[in-house]
């Protein structure tokens, strides 16, 4: 191996300068192209993960929306089952001595009642009520064509449900799903069978109104029970060819059918034991990215070929005079000193021209220039790479958050908008290096934005209250000493509790000192655990600012007599107090 490397090195060293430049530039371009391809592959993998996260979120939201509508319809079946008019009418219909007028009255009462329930839900196609003799009472629009073909099957499944709601999908009714429930008499708690209720639900209308994940894409949503698809959106001709088997709760797959790739996201739901599938054509999703990829590679190849061509032209302009000089020197080595009569000096006033004056000195200078050129090329590439790295600016993050906030407002997602605004405020103030010292009012505002975000997470479990004396609003203090205390209260109090947790923030002046208190009614700590916390021997969760860090900052700025105090009792909560000098002007460095 060493001999091979030595031969290659020797062969390279013996090449003419113009060929050395061509080889060097070619290797450099190949290395750059390799890094570009690796970067594209990494970007595609990251893009896959982003698509999966977005598809999973949209799919879960869509499944929740579908199930909410189905639960509403299930509630309608429950109301119909307990409706007094329906109960009385079905009990009266058992009487064999009824006249035709009485039967007409019963049919009218049932029809009017069922019609009133249809108006309560826009996704109900029709309602069918079969009494125990098989007679049908119907209200609504035209039912699915094969409903009556599977009438006995639905009645049997409803009986197995024993009064609970049962969802049934029928082969050939891809746009509908049926809710069935057995009706029983509540009179004297006899629980006598009165009939079977069947509601034809327009499942395709529910799915049609779901928000689309990718605009102008030919994707669709499918729903399966076990390994069998009972609903698919639109004219999905290839749905039967896809593999709808999933071992885990949620995930994604990339499947190929007839030369086309599909990005398939799935999520299992405990409701009715269904699995929701979101199928998107992989090619259309990556059409623009793939086009950019090939465009960049094409441009790179074009630039590479042009660079090699220019290097050849440039190297010839340099090496031709040198080759002429070498040829001339060979004559000189042979002792042919008449060369000066036939040798034409270089017309350029550069290093090559100086070679004609002093051969040995010029050879040394050319070697130095070549080495310097190599080093400069490497330095330029390294400088360009570092310059690209330094272009990542926090303003990109801020602008992205503003875009998310705008989209949330447009789509009436007020909670998302509020969270993004609060997160943007926190990031701007946390990342900003302009002011290390702020007012109490500004620090409290950061805490309020942080609590706003946490409230969307914990909802009613988080109860936050603020008591701040107006006199201390303009008092100065180091940035980020209150928000970590509230964060610790949430981690070690709220997250450990099932019932609501109250976190209080107090700020007041006492003499010439400023008191800042964060207290909670959480589980608290015993004396041994509290002592470990004060010594900083308990590792905090997450990557936040620890209590010992805050205490050290305060003592470093104001002196050892100030700092942070912790009081806690088991089952009575924890109180953290910060005491610093009260001042509206910052006199510390």
């Amino acid at each position: 191996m060493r001999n091979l490397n030595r031969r290659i090195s020797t062969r390279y060293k013996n090449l003419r300068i113009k060929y050395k430049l061509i080889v060097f530039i070619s290797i450099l371009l190949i290395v750059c192209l390799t890094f570009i391809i690796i970067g594209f592959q990494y970007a595609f993998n990251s893009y896959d993960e982003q698509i999966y996260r977005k598809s999973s979120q949209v799919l879960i939201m869509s499944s929740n929306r579908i199930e909410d509508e189905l639960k509403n319809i299930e509630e309608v079946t429950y109301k119909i089952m307990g409706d007094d008019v329906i109960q009385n009418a079905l009990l009266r219909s058992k009487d064999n001595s009824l006249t035709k007028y009485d039967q007409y009255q019963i049919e009218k009462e049932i029809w009017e009642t069922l019609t009133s329930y249809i108006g309560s839900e826009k996704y109900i196609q029709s309602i069918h009520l079969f009494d125990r003799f098989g007679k049908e009472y119907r209200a609504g629009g035209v039912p699915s064509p094969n409903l009556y073909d599977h009438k006995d099957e639905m009645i049997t499944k409803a009986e197995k449900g024993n009064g609970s709601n049962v969802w049934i999908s029928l082969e050939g009714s891809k746009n509908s799903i049926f809710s069935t429930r057995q009706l029983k008499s509540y009179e004297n708690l006899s629980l006598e069978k009165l009939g079977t209720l069947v509601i034809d639900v327009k499942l395709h209308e529910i799915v049609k109104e779901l928000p689309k994940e990718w605009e102008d894409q030919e994707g669709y949503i499918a729903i399966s029970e076990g390994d069998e698809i009972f609903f698919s959106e639109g004219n999905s001709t290839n749905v039967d060819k896809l593999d709808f088997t999933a071992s885990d709760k949620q995930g994604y797959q990339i499947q190929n059918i007839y030369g086309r790739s599909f990005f398939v996201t799935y999520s299992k739901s405990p409701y009715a034991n269904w699995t929701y599938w979101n199928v998107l054509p992989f090619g259309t999703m990556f059409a623009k990215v793939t086009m950019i990829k090939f465009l960049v590679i094409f441009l790179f190849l074009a630039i590479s070929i042009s660079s090699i061509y220019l290097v050849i032209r440039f190297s010839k302009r340099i090496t031709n005079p040198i080759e002429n000089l070498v040829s001339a020197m060979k004559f000189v080595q042979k002792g042919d000193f008449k060369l000066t009569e036939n040798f034409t000096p270089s017309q350029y006033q550069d290093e090559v021209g100086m070679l004609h004056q002093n051969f040995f000195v010029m050879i040394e200078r050319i070697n130095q220039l070549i080495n310097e050129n190599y080093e400069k090329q490497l330095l330029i590439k390294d400088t360009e790479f570092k310059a690209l790295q330094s272009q990542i600016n926090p303003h990109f993050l801020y602008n992205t958050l503003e875009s998310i906030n705008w989209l949330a407002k447009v789509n009436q997602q007020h909670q998302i908008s509020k969270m993004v605004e609060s997160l943007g405020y926190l990031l701007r103030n946390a990342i900003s290096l302009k002011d290390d010292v702020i007012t109490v009012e500004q620090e409290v505002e950061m805490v309020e934005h942080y609590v706003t975000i946490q409230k969307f997470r914990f909802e009613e479990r988080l109860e936050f209250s603020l008591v701040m004396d107006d006199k201390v609003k303009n008092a100065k203090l180091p940035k980020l000493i209150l928000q970590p205390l509230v964060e610790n209260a949430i981690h070690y109090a709220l997250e450990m509790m099932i019932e609501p947790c109250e976190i209080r923030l107090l700020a007041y002046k006492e003499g010439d000192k400023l008191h800042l208190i964060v207290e909670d009614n959480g589980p608290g700590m015993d004396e041994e655990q509290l002592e470990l916390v004060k010594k900083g021997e308990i590792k905090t969760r997450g990557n936040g600012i620890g209590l010992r860090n805050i205490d050290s900052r305060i003592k470093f700025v104001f002196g050892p007599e100030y700092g942070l105090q912790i009081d806690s009792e088991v089952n009575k909560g924890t109180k953290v107090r910060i005491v610093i000098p009260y001042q509206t002007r910052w006199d510390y460095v």
Side-chain angles (χ1 to χ4, degrees):
M1 192 66 181
R2 288 184 178 179
N3 293 333
L4 179 62
N5 292 336
R6 189 177 301 169
R7 285 199 300 269
I8 294 175
S9 177
T10 304
R11 189 176 182 86
Y12 175 78
K13 291 178 181 178
N14 292 333
L15 287 175
R16 294 183 179 182
I17 294 176
K18 60 182 177 181
Y19 297 131
K20 287 182 178 179
L21 287 174
I22 293 172
V23 171
F24 176 77
I25 296 298
S26 300
I27 294 175
L28 188 62
L29 291 174
I30 291 172
V31 171
C32 292
L33 180 60
T34 303
F35 276 106
I36 289 175
I37 294 174
I38 294 173
F40 268 115
Q41 189 63 36
Y42 177 78
F44 276 131
N45 292 336
S46 301
Y47 192 45
D48 283 350
E49 292 296 328
Q50 294 296 327
I51 292 175
Y52 163 63
R53 292 191 185 98
K54 181 178 178 182
S55 299
S56 296
Q57 292 173 359
V58 173
L59 186 60
I60 291 172
M61 291 173 59
S62 300
S63 63
N64 291 337
R65 172 74 179 278
I66 293 172
E67 291 174 1
D68 287 343
E69 295 296 340
L70 295 182
K71 288 175 183 177
N72 291 338
I73 296 173
E74 187 176 338
E75 183 67 20
V76 171
T77 66
Y78 181 78
K79 291 178 180 180
I80 294 176
M81 179 178 66
D83 191 282
D84 292 336
V85 175
I86 299 294
Q87 288 274 324
N88 293 331
L90 291 177
L91 287 172
R92 284 159 42 206
S93 67
K94 298 189 299 181
D95 189 353
N96 295 327
S97 63
L98 292 174
T99 64
K100 291 186 178 181
Y101 178 76
D102 293 333
Q103 292 177 353
Y104 170 75
Q105 285 295 112
I106 291 174
E107 292 177 0
K108 181 180 179 183
E109 290 176 4
I110 294 177
W111 179 83
E112 290 177 348
T113 305
L114 295 180
T115 302
S116 67
Y117 283 109
I118 287 180
S120 64
E121 287 294 333
K122 64 178 181 178
Y123 299 115
I124 295 179
Q125 176 70 19
S126 59
I127 300 179
H128 307 262
L129 181 58
F130 302 96
D131 63 15
R132 62 177 185 172
F133 302 109
K135 184 176 180 179
E136 179 188 14
Y137 303 91
R138 180 171 66 86
V142 178
S144 298
N146 57 348
L147 183 148
Y148 296 105
D149 296 336
H150 298 271
K151 169 186 170 183
D152 295 335
E153 175 189 348
M154 290 191 288
I155 292 175
T156 301
K157 289 186 178 181
E159 290 177 352
K160 291 181 180 180
N162 195 25
S164 61
N165 184 77
V166 179
W167 290 104
I168 299 176
S169 60
L170 300 180
E171 185 178 357
S173 296
K174 294 297 185 181
N175 292 331
S176 299
I177 191 169
F178 301 90
S179 170
T180 63
R181 186 190 290 269
Q182 187 182 51
L183 302 185
K184 295 184 178 181
S185 174
Y186 292 159
E187 185 178 8
N188 299 324
L189 298 178
S190 64
L191 299 180
E192 178 186 359
K193 178 183 174 183
L194 298 179
T196 302
L197 177 67
V198 178
I199 296 183
D200 187 347
V201 181
K202 297 180 286 187
L203 183 57
H204 69 288
E205 291 292 336
I206 300 177
V207 176
K208 183 179 179 181
E209 296 184 5
L210 294 175
K212 295 299 181 183
E213 176 184 2
W214 303 91
E215 295 295 338
D216 301 327
Q217 298 287 356
E218 48 179 325
Y220 56 87
I221 289 178
I223 307 175
S224 66
E225 184 174 5
D227 295 334
E228 182 179 353
I229 294 293
F230 66 85
F231 172 80
S232 61
E233 182 183 11
N235 296 322
S236 48
T237 55
N238 293 326
V239 66
D240 296 332
K241 306 298 187 299
L242 293 173
D243 180 15
F244 289 103
T245 57
S247 57
D248 46 358
K249 187 175 181 180
Q250 66 181 47
Y252 72 95
Q253 305 168 351
I254 298 176
Q255 301 187 26
N256 295 311
I257 302 176
Y258 301 134
R260 293 190 66 190
S261 296
F262 292 87
F263 191 87
V264 182
T265 311
Y266 61 89
S267 175
K268 292 185 177 180
S269 172
Y271 182 78
N273 194 26
W274 291 344
T275 303
Y276 295 86
W277 303 82
N278 191 9
V279 181
L280 290 169
F282 201 82
T284 53
M285 291 164 54
F286 280 91
K288 293 183 179 179
V289 178
T290 304
M291 181 187 68
I292 293 174
K293 174 184 177 181
F294 286 109
L295 179 61
V296 170
I297 294 176
F298 173 77
L299 291 176
F300 185 86
L301 292 175
I303 293 173
S304 300
I305 295 172
S306 301
S307 299
I308 293 174
Y309 174 75
L310 293 175
V311 167
I312 293 173
R313 292 289 302 273
F314 179 74
S315 62
K316 282 184 176 180
R317 193 170 179 183
I318 294 176
T319 58
N320 284 345
I322 297 176
E323 291 177 354
N324 293 335
L325 181 60
V326 169
S327 300
M329 291 303 298
K330 287 181 179 180
F331 285 99
V332 173
Q333 290 176 358
K334 294 178 181 179
D336 187 358
F337 294 100
K338 297 180 180 180
L339 181 64
T340 55
E341 299 177 358
N342 302 319
F343 182 70
T344 302
S346 175
Q347 298 179 358
Y348 302 103
Q349 300 298 319
D350 55 6
E351 293 84 352
V352 177
M354 295 177 62
L355 279 173
H356 294 269
Q357 302 175 17
N358 193 332
F359 175 76
F360 296 101
V361 174
M362 202 59 207
I363 288 295
E364 182 179 355
R365 292 190 62 184
I366 288 177
N367 290 329
Q368 292 177 354
L369 288 173
I370 291 175
N371 292 331
E372 289 176 2
N373 186 47
Y374 288 165
E375 292 175 359
K376 287 179 181 178
Q377 291 295 329
L378 294 175
L379 182 60
I380 289 172
K381 292 298 179 183
D382 184 65
T383 304
E384 290 175 350
F385 180 75
K386 291 180 179 179
L388 288 174
Q389 286 182 322
S390 66
Q391 290 177 0
I392 302 175
N393 197 295
H395 289 292
F396 171 76
L397 178 59
Y398 302 151
N399 294 336
T400 303
L401 289 175
E402 289 294 330
S403 299
I404 296 173
N405 185 23
W406 178 80
L407 288 174
K409 289 182 177 180
V410 169
N411 291 278
Q412 302 296 318
Q413 297 293 332
H414 302 295
Q415 288 184 337
I416 297 177
S417 175
K418 186 65 176 177
M419 288 183 71
V420 171
E421 289 177 354
S422 297
L423 177 59
Y425 181 89
L426 287 175
L427 289 175
R428 288 181 186 275
N429 286 273
I431 296 175
S432 176
L433 301 176
K434 293 182 179 179
D435 298 315
D436 291 329
V437 179
I438 59 177
T439 64
V440 172
E441 185 177 18
Q442 291 172 326
E443 181 76 5
V444 168
E445 187 176 2
M446 291 178 63
V447 171
E448 290 178 331
H449 280 282
Y450 174 76
V451 171
T452 297
I453 296 173
Q454 295 299 328
K455 272 185 173 293
F456 285 108
R457 175 186 175 192
F458 297 103
E459 298 179 344
E460 295 84 7
R461 289 181 56 203
L462 173 58
E463 297 178 1
F464 177 78
S465 60
L466 169 66
V467 179
M468 181 172 59
D469 189 353
D470 291 337
K471 297 178 182 180
V472 304
K473 286 185 176 180
N474 295 322
K476 300 288 187 177
L477 78 168
K479 182 192 289 187
L480 285 178
I481 64 173
L482 284 180
Q483 185 272 338
L485 302 184
V486 176
E487 182 178 357
N488 280 344
I490 290 176
H491 282 322
Y492 295 100
L494 174 58
E495 292 184 358
M496 301 297 179
M497 300 172 62
I498 298 177
E499 61 273 15
C501 176
E502 181 181 2
I503 299 175
R504 298 182 61 205
L505 172 60
L506 297 88
Y508 61 91
K509 177 185 177 185
E510 188 173 297
D512 59 347
K513 295 181 180 179
L514 173 63
H515 291 256
L516 304 169
I517 299 175
V518 176
E519 58 182 0
D520 60 71
N521 62 344
M525 296 177 285
D526 55 25
E527 294 182 2
E528 182 180 354
Q529 187 178 7
L530 180 60
E531 189 65 23
L532 293 175
V533 171
K534 290 180 179 179
K535 292 180 180 180
E537 296 179 2
I538 292 183
K539 184 178 179 181
T540 59
R541 296 190 297 173
N543 299 318
I545 302 173
L547 300 179
R548 191 173 181 85
N549 182 292
I550 298 173
D551 186 61
S552 300
R553 288 172 58 199
I554 294 173
K555 285 181 168 53
F556 179 81
V557 175
F558 302 107
E561 65 271 24
Y562 299 97
L564 186 144
Q565 304 171 7
I566 306 175
D567 297 315
S568 182
E569 289 186 50
V570 177
N571 298 326
K572 291 187 177 180
T574 302
K575 178 188 290 186
V576 182
R577 181 191 301 270
I578 294 176
V579 181
I580 61 175
Y582 174 85
Q583 53 186 356
T584 56
R585 287 182 54 191
W586 189 256
D587 298 325
Y588 298 87
V589 178

